[in-house]
Amino acid sequence: MEDSRPLDALNKARNKRVIVELKNGKQYIGKLNAFDIHINIVLEEAEEKVNGELTRKLGVIFLRGDTIIMVSPA
Amino acid sequence: MEDSRPLDALNKARNKRVIVELKNGKQYIGKLNAFDIHINIVLEEAEEKVNGELTRKLGVIFLRGDTIIMVSPA
Amino acid sequence: MEDSRPLDALNKARNKRVIVELKNGKQYIGKLNAFDIHINIVLEEAEEKVNGELTRKLGVIFLRGDTIIMVSPA
Amino acid sequence: MEDSRPLDALNKARNKRVIVELKNGKQYIGKLNAFDIHINIVLEEAEEKVNGELTRKLGVIFLRGDTIIMVSPA
Amino acid sequence: MEDSRPLDALNKARNKRVIVELKNGKQYIGKLNAFDIHINIVLEEAEEKVNGELTRKLGVIFLRGDTIIMVSPA
Amino acid sequence: MEDSRPLDALNKARNKRVIVELKNGKQYIGKLNAFDIHINIVLEEAEEKVNGELTRKLGVIFLRGDTIIMVSPA
Amino acid sequence: MEDSRPLDALNKARNKRVIVELKNGKQYIGKLNAFDIHINIVLEEAEEKVNGELTRKLGVIFLRGDTIIMVSPA
């Protein structure tokens, strides 16, 4: 069995709801539509949370990879 | 069906109004004229907002990719 | 005998519990599922700790390499 | 019609007055003499502004690309 | 005689005790097991010191190169 | 006539006195002896200024490019 | 006569005493033993100074290039 790679985990999460945490402390929750090797990420039906509070409903968002700390299934 | 890539989302937003959020907390709203793989972005009819308040009307602006956190349709 | 390389140490830790410490001071403890040359890391059954206190149970998490300071067997 | 690229916008601004905003909050206004793919920029007849106040007249200046947030026609 | 290169100094320290100082001010002291061109480093029998005080005994640790300021024989 | 490039401006300043401003707010004034594509710079007869005050006379200095914000003829 | 390059200045300083200043404000003074294109540097008989005060005698030290601001003959 071949060793798994980090992007495999993102691939499994495609079209599912994920939490993305940024270096500025904000969280974005939405359906993982796309990602690339830079970890640029596109979410659909995205919501922004700051300190656990819903702050904005955003629809489609493009997040630049270098601002991302963590991605996890929601 | 092929998996979509993050830049596809930016391509769909071309010539439409988008919000661009920067690492310094400022927002720029304008028509997405151009972008590249570094996420350098050109907006037309751009307006700057700080804490939700309109602070400047700027016309055409070039934003360097490494300062950008998020791009979303306005 | 050939000199060992840093990624060998991560390879030995595969499928074992590790602590990952991030630049923002948070710790993630979980089973090391995957890593790559950028030190992007996937943990399973992950828990978040802040100042030694368990703050969240997270399941699978993807951590972007450039936010990581240290990885150590738990 | 081909999609425009971000550097096209800088090319159109060549030899015209532009505002360059840096990560340290300073603005430089001058004639755009040269730029490259790193967004290194040379301005002529440059003036420095801090908080909207003219602080220095500088003549020719070379600005390193990675310190630049925004470029816009003045 | 050929000029020496920086990694030669790390190579000489292999399997010896070194101090590694990080950008966050912490020190790790341990036996230098492995390093690479990114200055990713693996220490064995590692101890963490903060402000000169022993704070943790850690065993094997992987330190990501871009967090490292200095490496010196202990 | 060919478009000028940013390094042309540095080339014209070779062997002339320039001001180099760093991200840490310090200024170095000296004769521009050498530069490269990373904007690593060597000054001769260099002086350091902090807040406009002369703080040190340094002779030859090598400045690492990624710490530089601006270069301008003195 | 060919234009000089920044690394020529470091090459001339080889085996001579230099001051290396880091982004964290610390200075290291020692004999320049080795450097590379990343400006990774090895000093011998190195001393650390903070605010001009000698704080440590260190022997051989490896300094990672991206933490360095300036190198100058001591």
Side-chain angles (χ1 to χ4, degrees):
Chain A
M1 194 186 96
E2 207 173 294
D3 286 335
S4 64
R5 292 159 305 178
L7 295 196
D8 294 345
L10 294 184
N11 215 26
K12 274 186 206 152
R14 211 184 268 269
N15 294 317
K16 296 186 184 134
R17 279 174 70 78
V18 295
I19 303 176
V20 181
E21 296 198 2
L22 302 195
K23 290 179 180 167
N24 66 7
K26 293 184 179 173
Q27 287 185 327
Y28 294 90
I29 299 102
K31 197 171 76 171
L32 180 60
N33 171 262
F35 64 89
D36 61 23
I37 55 165
H38 307 293
I39 323 302
N40 293 320
I41 279 180
V42 173
L43 299 181
E44 294 177 348
E45 302 160 29
E47 295 180 350
E48 180 188 83
K49 282 190 180 178
V50 180
N51 299 323
E53 300 288 315
L54 178 65
T55 44
R56 281 194 291 178
K57 299 200 169 222
L58 283 156
V60 174
I61 60 172
F62 172 97
L63 295 166
R64 200 169 183 275
D66 84 323
T67 68
I68 290 172
I69 291 178
M70 190 181 79
V71 185
S72 182
Chain B
M1 193 187 97
E2 207 172 294
D3 286 334
S4 63
R5 293 159 303 178
L7 296 196
D8 294 345
L10 294 184
N11 214 25
K12 273 186 206 153
R14 210 184 269 269
N15 294 317
K16 295 186 184 136
R17 279 175 68 78
V18 296
I19 303 176
V20 180
E21 297 198 2
L22 302 196
K23 290 179 180 167
N24 66 6
K26 293 185 178 173
Q27 287 185 327
Y28 294 91
I29 299 102
K31 197 170 78 171
L32 181 60
N33 171 263
F35 64 90
D36 60 24
I37 56 165
H38 307 292
I39 323 303
N40 292 320
I41 281 180
V42 173
L43 299 182
E44 294 177 347
E45 301 161 30
E47 296 180 349
E48 180 188 83
K49 283 190 180 178
V50 180
N51 299 324
E53 299 289 314
L54 178 66
T55 43
R56 282 194 291 177
K57 300 202 169 219
L58 284 156
V60 174
I61 60 172
F62 172 97
L63 295 166
R64 200 170 183 274
D66 84 324
T67 68
I68 290 172
I69 291 178
M70 190 182 78
V71 184
S72 181
Chain C
M1 195 186 95
E2 207 173 294
D3 286 334
S4 64
R5 292 159 304 177
L7 296 195
D8 295 345
L10 294 184
N11 215 26
K12 274 185 206 154
R14 211 184 267 269
N15 295 317
K16 296 188 183 132
R17 279 175 68 76
V18 295
I19 303 176
V20 181
E21 296 199 2
L22 302 195
K23 290 179 181 169
N24 65 7
K26 293 184 178 173
Q27 287 186 327
Y28 294 91
I29 298 102
K31 197 170 77 172
L32 181 60
N33 171 263
F35 64 89
D36 61 22
I37 55 165
H38 307 293
I39 322 302
N40 293 321
I41 279 180
V42 173
L43 299 182
E44 294 177 348
E45 302 160 30
E47 296 181 349
E48 181 188 83
K49 283 190 179 178
V50 180
N51 298 323
E53 300 288 315
L54 178 65
T55 43
R56 280 194 292 177
K57 298 200 171 222
L58 283 157
V60 173
I61 59 172
F62 172 97
L63 295 166
R64 199 169 183 275
D66 84 323
T67 69
I68 290 172
I69 290 178
M70 191 181 79
V71 185
S72 182
Chain D
M1 194 187 95
E2 208 172 294
D3 286 335
S4 63
R5 293 159 303 178
L7 296 195
D8 294 345
L10 294 185
N11 215 26
K12 271 186 207 154
R14 211 185 268 269
N15 295 316
K16 296 187 183 133
R17 280 174 67 77
V18 295
I19 302 175
V20 181
E21 296 199 2
L22 302 195
K23 290 178 180 168
N24 66 6
K26 292 184 179 174
Q27 288 185 327
Y28 294 91
I29 299 101
K31 196 171 78 172
L32 181 60
N33 172 263
F35 64 90
D36 61 22
I37 55 165
H38 307 292
I39 322 303
N40 293 320
I41 280 181
V42 173
L43 300 182
E44 294 177 347
E45 302 161 29
E47 296 180 348
E48 181 188 83
K49 283 190 180 178
V50 180
N51 299 322
E53 299 289 315
L54 177 66
T55 43
R56 282 194 291 177
K57 300 201 169 218
L58 284 156
V60 174
I61 59 172
F62 173 97
L63 295 165
R64 200 170 184 273
D66 84 324
T67 68
I68 290 172
I69 291 178
M70 189 181 80
V71 185
S72 181
Chain E
M1 196 186 93
E2 207 172 293
D3 286 334
S4 63
R5 292 158 304 177
L7 296 195
D8 294 345
L10 294 184
N11 215 27
K12 274 186 206 154
R14 212 185 268 268
N15 294 316
K16 296 187 184 132
R17 280 175 67 77
V18 296
I19 303 175
V20 181
E21 297 199 1
L22 301 195
K23 290 180 181 167
N24 65 6
K26 294 184 177 172
Q27 286 185 328
Y28 295 91
I29 298 102
K31 197 170 77 172
L32 181 60
N33 171 264
F35 63 89
D36 62 22
I37 56 165
H38 307 293
I39 321 303
N40 292 322
I41 279 181
V42 173
L43 299 182
E44 295 177 347
E45 302 161 29
E47 296 181 347
E48 181 188 83
K49 283 190 180 178
V50 181
N51 298 324
E53 300 288 314
L54 178 66
T55 44
R56 282 193 291 177
K57 298 200 171 222
L58 283 157
V60 173
I61 60 171
F62 173 97
L63 295 166
R64 198 169 185 275
D66 84 323
T67 69
I68 290 171
I69 291 179
M70 190 181 79
V71 185
S72 182
Chain F
M1 195 188 95
E2 208 173 292
D3 286 335
S4 63
R5 292 159 304 177
L7 296 195
D8 294 345
L10 294 184
N11 215 26
K12 271 185 208 154
R14 210 185 269 267
N15 295 316
K16 296 187 183 133
R17 280 175 67 77
V18 296
I19 302 175
V20 180
E21 296 199 1
L22 302 195
K23 290 179 182 169
N24 66 6
K26 293 183 179 173
Q27 287 185 328
Y28 295 91
I29 299 101
K31 195 171 79 171
L32 180 61
N33 172 263
F35 64 90
D36 61 23
I37 56 165
H38 307 292
I39 321 304
N40 293 321
I41 279 180
V42 173
L43 300 182
E44 294 177 347
E45 303 161 28
E47 297 181 346
E48 180 188 84
K49 284 191 179 177
V50 180
N51 298 323
E53 299 288 315
L54 178 66
T55 44
R56 282 194 291 178
K57 299 201 171 220
L58 284 157
V60 173
I61 60 172
F62 172 97
L63 295 165
R64 199 170 184 273
D66 84 323
T67 68
I68 290 172
I69 292 178
M70 190 181 78
V71 185
S72 180
Chain G
M1 195 187 94
E2 207 173 293
D3 286 334
S4 62
R5 292 158 303 176
L7 296 195
D8 294 346
L10 294 184
N11 215 27
K12 273 185 207 154
R14 212 185 268 267
N15 294 317
K16 295 188 183 133
R17 280 175 67 77
V18 297
I19 303 175
V20 180
E21 297 200 1
L22 302 195
K23 290 179 181 168
N24 65 6
K26 293 184 178 173
Q27 287 186 327
Y28 295 91
I29 299 101
K31 196 170 78 170
L32 181 60
N33 171 263
F35 64 89
D36 61 22
I37 55 165
H38 307 293
I39 321 303
N40 292 321
I41 279 180
V42 173
L43 299 182
E44 294 177 347
E45 302 161 28
E47 296 181 347
E48 181 188 84
K49 283 191 180 178
V50 180
N51 298 324
E53 300 289 315
L54 177 65
T55 44
R56 283 194 290 177
K57 297 199 171 223
L58 283 156
V60 173
I61 61 172
F62 173 97
L63 296 166
R64 198 169 185 274
D66 83 323
T67 68
I68 290 172
I69 292 178
M70 190 181 78
V71 185
S72 181

